[in-house]
Amino acid sequence: MNSSWIILGATSGIARAVIRKLAAQGHGMFLAGRNQTELEAIAADCRLRGARMAEVMTFDARDHSNYGDLITRLRDEEGELNCAVFTGSMPEQEAIDADPNMIEGVLADSLTGPATFLQMLAPLMEERGCGAIAGVGSVAGDRGRLGNYVYGAAKAGFATYLSGLRNRLGRSGVHVMTIKPGPVDTPMTYGMELPLMTTPDAVADDILNGLARKTNVLYTRKIWRLVMGIIRVIPEPIFKKMSI
Amino acid sequence: MDWKDTDYAGWGRALRAKGAIARPDTRAALNRLEAAPAFGMRRSYGDAALNSDGRAVDMSGLDRLIAFDPDTGQLQVEAGARIGEIAAAFAPRGWLPAVMPGTGFATIGGCIAQDVHGKNHHHMGSFGQHVSQITLLQNGQEISVKPGTRLFKATVGGLGQTGVILRATIKMQRCAGDVMLVTERRAPDWETHLALLDASTASYTVGWIDATATGEALGRGIVEEGESASGLVRKPKGARKVPFDAPHFALAAPVVRAFNQAYFYRVPARGRSVVRPLQDFFFPLDKIHDWNRLYGKRGFHQFQCVVPLEAADSLRAMLAEIAGSGLASPLAVLKRMGPGRAGYLSFPMEGYTLAIDFPNRPAARALIKRLEARAAEAGGRLYFAKDSLAQGAQIAAMYPDLPKWQTEVAKADPAGALETDMTRRLKLRSAT
């Protein structure tokens, strides 16, 4: 059976590593994002690495006006549909403090944009009764912290959304996996000193393994499940005085 | 953030640098950067990829395959693409890069800048002979370079000094499939070893040499011959890692002697034929990530020279000195090269090439210096991809086309923005 992956945010560092592996497995690829030149280059790369086909789609998390057209195109594609979401933006917290209107964009990139698209895609996947959705949240969404709580709030919202979507789609054989990466060495984090950093390639391997095992919530690196478990149980009166 | 202060090293980890590194993953991000020398996966052992107290651009993120024409076998790729990834993607479809070096992690940009060779050099020549186009970034401008021009000859094997290599088109060759049929034969001594290499008609031929064997057994080793084939073979297992720097005694002389003994007798006296996954044949060490850590934190040097066919005896004398020193590691390779080379500073010449690793210790450095002098005397050459200890005057004598290269480089990069630790150490751009 034909199998296709829709990748939202296909130019992101983690997405690129995942896309390569999916292409090598022969899946069809729908690469969605804003930078058409980059997407075309990635699509050509996919075809040469073994993808059944690769097609570019314009997707802007902050502009939902063409989502209907995208869904129409996907309805025409036969076989199993899968979707992975890598959209998101992480401005410095200070930048947001200076311009609170940025919050809307952060929420759109990580939450409302992809959620709107997935909400439209869900019936299609339910109908077909197969496929998977993998969405990138963040360990930053597990608890609001001084350093990046707007980003954290957006990712927390998306994780909650995915949890609900899992609850719904699990009934019709569609698996939904929430990915919670710690810091990953991508262009977004280049030059930052961050703890327990990992590579996009390692995260991609974890994601594909997680999908094969139908993991519900995937922490990558795995140690983050433990770290965030501890951070989550710190009582609020103490936590509010900490800056971690 | 574009630039990040980084501590980095060549593959041998004996030479290190501190400087600002950028790692663009799009052309737009690269265009923002000012001119600086570029590197790929830093598989050159010495300082070819280092720029102390300066800037350098890590091209490994610009690694996409761009286009392939199955009628002609021409493949266009970005400079950061790894040769091993290309092989893995194309071998099942019956294509391989015409020339592949000993590690699949080498990038196309690196393969061009060092004009690398492979186990088939005696038939296919060097990497640059199968490059049909290179796109360089020179002072903010894209320049297309074609074979037959002086700029091409200065770029291939040119250590990145003519501009940042952005993309290239390489000619792939047909292969039977993604496995290799490998014949291994014991060579009990130096004479037999050379004779087996001389007589080999296989597509791929290489000799592993026991650099600890002395006396009658001097020069003994295993000659491997390979042909591509198709069929079923166990998939290679995932790579293993070296999780920490090994202690210095891990590769002490008795350990190496014992290992080499076992490695030699692993192949039965009558020889044997085995089927191997392609990666295991071409890139045997890639199975162990970060194997360079086996040499401990002081790192190691690789000595590689080529001497003309008629100077085989000089090479034998060098091997005798190595074997007598007790400093050699298990990683030693002997190979017969053909004349094929594509650039002014390309390493290959018709003759025999010997490559051996040594731990980074004073005695080993002194030995390498003596070996370098012997190679020079024999009319041989040292390899920029491996070198970390040679001197400028020695190198200038080994590379007669150096002045032609300098003329082209002076035109391409008049400000010297692309100089590296290696070009400064060897005074490559100024030596006369």
Side-chain angles (χ1 to χ4, degrees):
Chain A
M1 184 172 64
N2 263 358
S3 155
S4 310
W5 275 90
I6 305 135
I7 312 287
L8 304 186
T11 57
S12 98
I14 302 176
R16 282 172 60 160
V18 173
I19 287 166
R20 267 199 190 176
K21 291 178 197 278
L22 292 172
Q25 292 174 1
H27 299 280
M29 306 298 293
F30 292 93
L31 307 168
R34 281 172 305 168
N35 187 336
Q36 294 302 297
T37 323
E38 275 303 308
L39 291 172
E40 290 292 356
I42 298 171
D45 182 75
C46 282
R47 289 179 207 115
L48 291 175
R49 282 177 201 265
R52 178 172 60 78
M53 52 75 84
E55 210 173 293
V56 165
M57 290 180 152
T58 303
F59 176 87
D60 186 341
R62 304 184 188 194
D63 175 4
H64 309 171
S65 58
N66 73 332
Y67 291 5
D69 301 340
L70 302 183
I71 299 295
T72 305
R73 167 68 191 91
L74 294 169
R75 183 169 285 125
D76 289 343
E77 189 69 17
E78 287 174 11
E80 180 185 285
L81 291 178
N82 302 274
C83 182
V85 179
F86 297 98
T87 57
S89 58
M90 188 176 67
E92 296 284 329
Q93 187 66 46
E94 293 93 73
I96 296 173
D97 294 344
D99 178 10
N101 285 315
M102 287 177 81
I103 291 179
E104 207 172 297
V106 173
L107 285 171
D109 293 341
S110 282
L111 172 58
T112 54
T116 305
F117 180 84
L118 289 176
Q119 204 66 17
M120 295 166 77
L121 180 67
L124 228 67
M125 296 182 69
E126 262 172 338
E127 243 167 62
R128 301 188 188 191
C130 59
I133 291 171
V136 169
S138 168
V139 296
D142 280 7
R143 193 147 194 188
R145 291 179 304 114
L146 189 65
N148 60 358
Y149 56 89
V150 171
Y151 174 74
K155 288 297 187 185
F158 191 50
T160 306
Y161 171 79
L162 289 175
S163 159
L165 194 63
R166 173 162 48 244
N167 203 302
R168 167 183 164 187
L169 295 182
R171 293 153 210 263
S172 43
V174 177
H175 181 62
V176 177
M177 180 169 83
T178 310
I179 307 158
K180 293 189 178 180
V184 184
D185 185 15
T186 63
M188 187 169 91
T189 57
Y190 190 67
M192 298 182 192
E193 289 296 328
L194 297 165
L196 300 173
M197 193 93 140
T198 184
T199 63
D201 208 48
V203 169
D205 280 336
D206 282 356
I207 290 174
L208 294 193
N209 283 336
L211 285 166
R213 289 185 199 157
K214 295 197 186 289
T215 305
N216 294 314
V217 179
L218 175 82
Y219 282 84
T220 168
R221 302 161 61 177
K222 284 193 182 60
I223 181 84
W224 282 104
R225 182 181 289 277
L226 179 70
V227 173
M228 295 318 296
I230 294 167
I231 290 177
R232 265 202 311 265
V233 298
I234 300 172
E236 199 63 26
I238 300 172
F239 189 78
K240 72 179 183 189
K241 295 187 186 126
M242 297 169 71
S243 26
I244 51 172
Chain B
M1 183 150 62
D2 283 341
W3 299 96
K4 172 173 149 186
D5 284 322
T6 310
D7 248 316
Y8 61 112
W11 184 244
R13 305 208 308 155
L15 300 187
R16 315 192 68 95
K18 266 186 195 162
I21 305 270
R23 195 186 59 194
D25 73 333
T26 61
R27 267 311 308 286
L30 179 66
N31 286 344
R32 279 205 305 270
L33 308 173
E34 59 203 73
F39 62 71
M41 294 292 283
R42 292 206 308 272
R43 253 46 187 192
S44 288
Y45 286 63
D47 47 3
L50 309 185
N51 189 21
S52 296
D53 305 318
R55 292 178 157 183
V57 183
D58 177 345
M59 298 291 285
S60 63
L62 292 160
D63 62 344
R64 285 174 291 222
L65 314 182
I66 300 167
F68 179 64
D69 180 346
D71 293 329
T72 61
Q74 302 275 353
L75 172 69
Q76 191 187 25
V77 296
E78 288 184 328
R82 278 65 139 175
I83 198 87
E85 283 195 6
I86 295 173
F90 281 86
R93 288 177 258 170
W95 294 95
L96 272 183
V99 170
M100 293 193 283
T103 170
F105 290 113
T107 62
I108 293 299
C111 288
I112 292 170
Q114 296 284 9
D115 195 16
V116 300
H117 57 270
K119 297 174 169 63
N120 58 352
H121 185 265
H122 52 302
H123 294 302
M124 299 299 285
S126 70
F127 189 86
Q129 292 178 280
H130 306 275
V131 173
S132 46
Q133 190 270 345
I134 301 170
T135 303
L136 289 177
L137 184 64
Q138 266 185 3
N139 312 309
Q141 302 262 313
E142 281 194 16
I143 312 263
S144 176
V145 192
K146 291 277 192 180
T149 61
R150 285 193 293 264
L151 183 56
F152 186 88
K153 285 186 191 156
T155 300
V156 174
L159 304 170
Q161 299 300 298
T162 59
V164 172
I165 300 169
L166 293 177
R167 301 184 288 280
T169 305
I170 61 172
K171 184 129 172 27
M172 307 278 278
Q173 65 165 338
R174 278 286 182 187
C175 69
D178 59 356
V179 299
M180 295 295 294
L181 186 58
V182 184
T183 305
E184 296 174 313
R185 276 183 289 176
R186 277 195 208 164
D189 55 40
W190 174 259
E191 299 301 330
T192 321
H193 205 147
L194 285 197
L196 284 174
L197 292 175
D198 290 345
S200 173
T201 54
S203 302
Y204 300 91
T205 309
V206 68
W208 167 80
I209 198 163
D210 177 356
T212 60
T214 51
E216 294 281 290
L218 180 74
R220 76 171 176 186
I222 309 281
V223 172
E224 280 187 27
E225 299 179 297
E227 299 292 345
S228 88
S230 64
L232 284 178
V233 65
R234 256 183 314 134
K235 282 271 168 219
K237 290 195 208 96
R240 275 179 255 183
K241 287 187 176 176
V242 179
F244 51 82
D245 296 341
H248 61 92
F249 54 80
L251 290 171
V255 179
V256 176
R257 265 199 302 277
F259 176 88
N260 282 5
Q261 185 87 0
Y263 196 81
F264 180 75
Y265 286 107
R266 162 192 71 100
V267 173
R270 61 177 189 283
R272 66 175 180 186
S273 287
V274 287
V275 177
R276 296 235 172 95
L278 189 124
Q279 290 85 344
D280 289 11
F281 178 75
F282 286 106
F283 318 125
L285 287 168
D286 289 358
K287 279 190 290 186
I288 309 167
H289 277 178
D290 306 323
W291 62 262
N292 52 351
R293 301 183 77 172
L294 288 172
Y295 288 89
K297 61 171 185 266
R298 283 179 295 189
F300 67 108
H301 298 281
Q302 184 171 98
F303 169 78
Q304 181 167 7
C305 73
V306 58
V307 300
L309 290 176
E310 59 275 15
D313 283 343
S314 310
L315 201 61
R316 185 181 193 279
M318 288 159 79
L319 183 63
E321 183 165 1
I322 294 164
S325 73
L327 291 165
S329 78
L331 303 171
V333 169
L334 181 65
K335 172 159 178 54
R336 182 169 169 156
M337 293 193 116
R341 61 205 298 270
Y344 292 133
L345 297 192
S346 293
F347 168 68
M349 66 162 74
E350 181 149 37
Y352 299 101
T353 178
L354 177 69
I356 304 195
D357 290 352
F358 295 101
N360 180 23
R361 280 187 238 147
R365 290 197 293 270
L367 172 65
I368 293 171
K369 293 265 174 206
R370 294 198 297 277
L371 296 172
E372 284 167 358
R374 281 177 185 264
E377 246 170 67
R381 219 176 254 151
L382 300 174
Y383 191 7
F384 292 118
K386 311 294 179 71
D387 173 62
S388 52
L389 293 167
Q391 280 150 23
Q394 238 171 2
I395 292 290
M398 291 171 173
Y399 286 90
D401 285 338
L402 184 64
K404 291 183 190 161
W405 178 78
Q406 287 171 336
T407 308
E408 283 307 305
V409 169
K411 276 192 274 181
D413 175 35
L418 303 178
E419 289 248 26
T420 60
D421 285 4
M422 170 168 265
T423 63
R424 281 187 293 264
R425 172 171 60 87
L426 298 173
K427 301 185 180 63
L428 286 179
R429 293 181 56 165
S430 54
T432 48

